[in-house]
Every structure is written in structure tokens, then in C-alpha cells.
């Protein structure tokens, strides 16, 4: 009958709506589960049980002694029995094809990974015996992709040295060739960098990042394709800023 037909249409619509909501719920459950797994992969990383040490007397040389390393769940080794020495004040270019181990070298010397065998040394000290804070104090890294926090430019630069004065921040910005740009903004150093730095060009974000590293003043600098994908004018300014950053440092350039 017509009544039954109409009732069937109504019920089918209700069932379809319920199934659609269930499918949407399942989709978000999977997405949120994957996001939670990524968060846990960071929060559950074991913290090194190593006390901070006085590293003022340590030198900024780096050495690899018969280092072998493979990433988890990877059959092939990224590095095999590698021995290298990088003296204090040296400038080293690490060049190779994608997947050849360039970034692996940098990750190992910064303590992000531990080798399966061999020893990485910083200033003659076994990296495995230094605290994460000790290691972090030695390194500054400038990458192609720069992250700026949604706070003022001043605070973004101060990440390199939270106790820095305004004069120190401006000195670092001048050396990074970004001071004139900042003071030309309506709110100057109080200007918000915007979410993930979306308000600025790649070159401007890069120079803010370099100012941050200049303020930190670590003895070892890693440049990870820092000038890739930039136009000529920005590359010139950034190269001048990098020249300032590299003065009297041990430098690794990954290309």
C-alpha cells in the first residue's frame, strides 16, 4: 500500500543516515588513532638517564669511530663501519644522493639516534655519556623548512636564548639581515609570526631562524639544504646571514 511504501522510504532514510554517521565516526576514529600513535611515539621515547655536565672546556670537534647504524625495521644499513674526523673550526660539505646517509650522519652527531656499534664523540667525549641538554647546547641547525611559533617575532628569535635582552635580539637580527624588515612592520618586533609562520615568505622565515641560531651561538652549525628553493635576492641575503653564523664555528653543510 501507499502507507507502507512511504513508511519504507522513511525507514530507509533513517537507516542510511545512521550508516553514514557510523562510517564518518569510523573514519575519524582511524584518523585520531593514527594521530595519537604519532604523539605517543614522541612522548614515550625514553629519556637518557644522564646528568648534565660542565662542558665549557669541551672542544667542538666531532668524530665517528667504526660506526654502524640501521634504522628500525630496515634491512639495509644506513652507515657501515664509518670512521671520520671533523676538527674544531673545520667546514665540511656532506654531499650525496637522496638516501646516501647525509642526514643520518647529522642525526647521529646530534644524538637523535644511537649507533648499533661504534662510537660517536663530541669534543673527545662519548656522545652516549652526555645528556640531551649538553648535546643540544653544542648544535645549531638551519633547515630548508623553518617553523615559526604563533607568537611575536621577538619571542621566536629568543627561542635561541630565552634570557636575551632586546639589544641582543636586535643584534642577532641585524647579523641575519632581517632587522630592517622587522622594524618596517607596523608592530615591529611585537608582530605575530602567525600560525606556522604563514605571514612571511620562505626567505624571511629563514632569516628569522638564522637570527635565532645567531643568538644561541652554539659552537657547531649544521646547514641542511638551507638555501634550497630560494630566489636570487633572498639567497644572497641568507648567504650573508649564514656567513655571520659560521664565523669561528665547526660547520657541516648538507647538500
Amino acid at each position: 500500500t501507499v502507507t507502507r511504501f512511504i513508511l519504507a522510504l522513511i525507514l530507509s532514510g533513517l537507516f542510511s543516515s545512521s550508516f553514514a554517521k557510523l562510517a564518518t565516526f569510523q573514519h575519524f576514529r582511524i584518523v585520531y588513532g593514527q594521530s595519537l600513535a604519532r604523539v605517543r611515539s614522541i612522548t614515550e621515547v625514553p629519556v637518557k638517564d644522564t646528568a648534565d655536565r660542565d662542558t665549557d672546556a669541551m672542544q667542538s670537534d666531532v668524530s665517528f669511530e667504526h660506526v654502524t647504524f640501521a634504522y628500525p625495521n630496515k634491512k639495509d644499513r644506513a652507515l657501515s663501519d664509518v670512521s671520520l674526523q671533523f676538527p674544531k673550526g673545520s667546514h665540511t660539505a656532506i654531499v650525496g644522493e637522496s638516501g646516501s646517509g647525509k642526514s643520518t650522519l647529522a642525526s647521529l652527531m646530534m644524538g637523535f639516534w644511537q649507533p648499533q656499534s661504534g662510537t660517536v664523540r663530541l669534543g673527545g667525549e662519548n656522545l652516549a655519556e652526555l645528556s640531551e641538554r649538553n648535546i643540544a647546547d653544542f648544535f645549531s641547525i638551519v633547515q630548508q623548512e623553518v617553523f615559526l611559533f604563533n607568537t611575536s617575532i621577538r619571542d621566536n628569535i629568543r627561542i635561541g636564548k630565552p634570557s636575551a635582552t632586546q639589544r641582543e635580539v636586535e643584534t642577532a637580527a641585524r647579523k641575519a639581515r632581517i632587522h630592517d624588515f622587522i622594524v618596517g612592520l607596523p608592530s615591529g618586533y611585537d608582530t605575530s609570526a602567525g600560525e606556522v609562520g604563514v605571514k612571511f615568505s620562505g626567505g624571511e622565515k629563514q632569516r628569522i631562524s638564522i637570527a635565532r641560531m645567531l643568538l644561541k651561538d652554539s659552537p657547531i652549525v649544521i646547514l641542511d639544504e638551507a638555501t634550497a628553493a630560494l630566489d636570487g635576492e633572498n639567497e644572497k641575503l641568507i648567504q650573508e646571514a649564514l656567513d655571520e653564523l659560521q664565523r669561528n664555528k665547526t660547520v657541516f653543510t648538507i647538500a
Side-chain angles (χ1 to χ4, degrees):
T1 65
V2 174
T3 302
R4 289 181 176 178
F5 178 72
I6 293 173
L7 181 60
L9 287 177
I10 293 172
L11 290 175
S12 65
L14 291 173
F15 279 122
S16 297
S17 176
S18 298
F19 279 121
K21 290 179 180 178
L22 182 61
T24 301
F25 171 78
Q26 178 67 4
H27 168 74
F28 281 111
R29 189 184 71 83
I30 294 172
V31 171
Y32 291 149
Q34 292 171 341
S35 299
L36 182 59
R38 287 195 292 270
V39 171
R40 283 177 173 168
S41 70
I42 297 173
T43 59
E44 293 178 359
V45 171
V47 178
K48 290 174 67 176
D49 186 19
T50 309
D52 292 344
R53 294 166 51 181
D54 183 2
T55 57
D56 289 344
M58 283 179 57
Q59 300 297 310
S60 58
D61 57 293
V62 178
S63 63
F64 286 66
E65 300 174 356
H66 303 287
V67 170
T68 294
F69 174 77
Y71 288 99
N73 303 318
K74 294 288 185 179
K75 181 179 179 181
D76 296 331
R77 295 173 176 175
L79 299 174
S80 182
D81 194 27
V82 172
S83 293
L84 298 166
Q85 289 190 338
F86 307 101
K88 173 186 176 182
S90 61
H91 287 214
T92 304
I94 304 174
V95 182
E97 298 178 354
S98 178
S100 61
K102 305 187 301 294
S103 295
T104 301
L105 279 174
S107 295
L108 286 169
M109 72 175 68
M110 289 188 289
F112 295 158
W113 296 97
Q114 296 297 321
Q116 277 79 40
S117 64
T119 305
V120 181
R121 295 189 182 276
L122 175 60
E125 300 287 341
N126 187 343
L127 206 68
E129 298 175 359
L130 296 174
S131 71
E132 292 167 344
R133 184 185 297 276
N134 285 152
I135 297 169
D137 286 345
F138 264 83
F139 289 93
S140 292
I141 183 167
V142 180
Q143 297 174 297
Q144 181 180 351
E145 293 295 327
V146 175
F147 185 90
L148 298 183
F149 292 92
N150 190 19
T151 184
S152 69
I153 295 175
R154 178 189 296 104
D155 287 343
N156 268 282
I157 295 175
R158 268 192 183 141
I159 290 171
K161 182 183 176 183
S163 63
T165 64
Q166 178 64 22
R167 177 175 292 183
E168 289 175 315
V169 170
E170 291 185 12
T171 298
R174 284 191 176 92
K175 290 181 178 179
R177 307 300 192 268
I178 194 65
H179 173 75
D180 291 344
F181 168 78
I182 295 172
V183 296
L185 297 170
S187 300
Y189 280 86
D190 291 319
T191 302
S192 173
E195 186 175 357
V196 199
V198 293
K199 291 186 176 180
F200 305 122
S201 70
E204 290 155 359
K205 289 189 289 185
Q206 191 73 282
R207 280 177 279 154
I208 291 172
S209 170
I210 294 171
R212 183 189 292 169
M213 296 300 100
L214 282 161
L215 196 59
K216 186 181 180 187
D217 195 28
S218 297
I220 302 175
V221 174
I222 296 176
L223 308 177
D224 190 356
E225 300 186 6
T227 59
L230 293 174
D231 58 65
E233 182 179 355
N234 267 314
E235 185 170 1
K236 179 178 180 295
L237 289 170
I238 288 173
Q239 191 56 59
E240 291 175 358
L242 290 175
D243 289 343
E244 292 282 356
L245 181 62
Q246 296 175 67
R247 293 185 190 278
N248 304 315
K249 309 289 187 184
T250 302
V251 181
F252 297 90
T253 302
I254 299 174

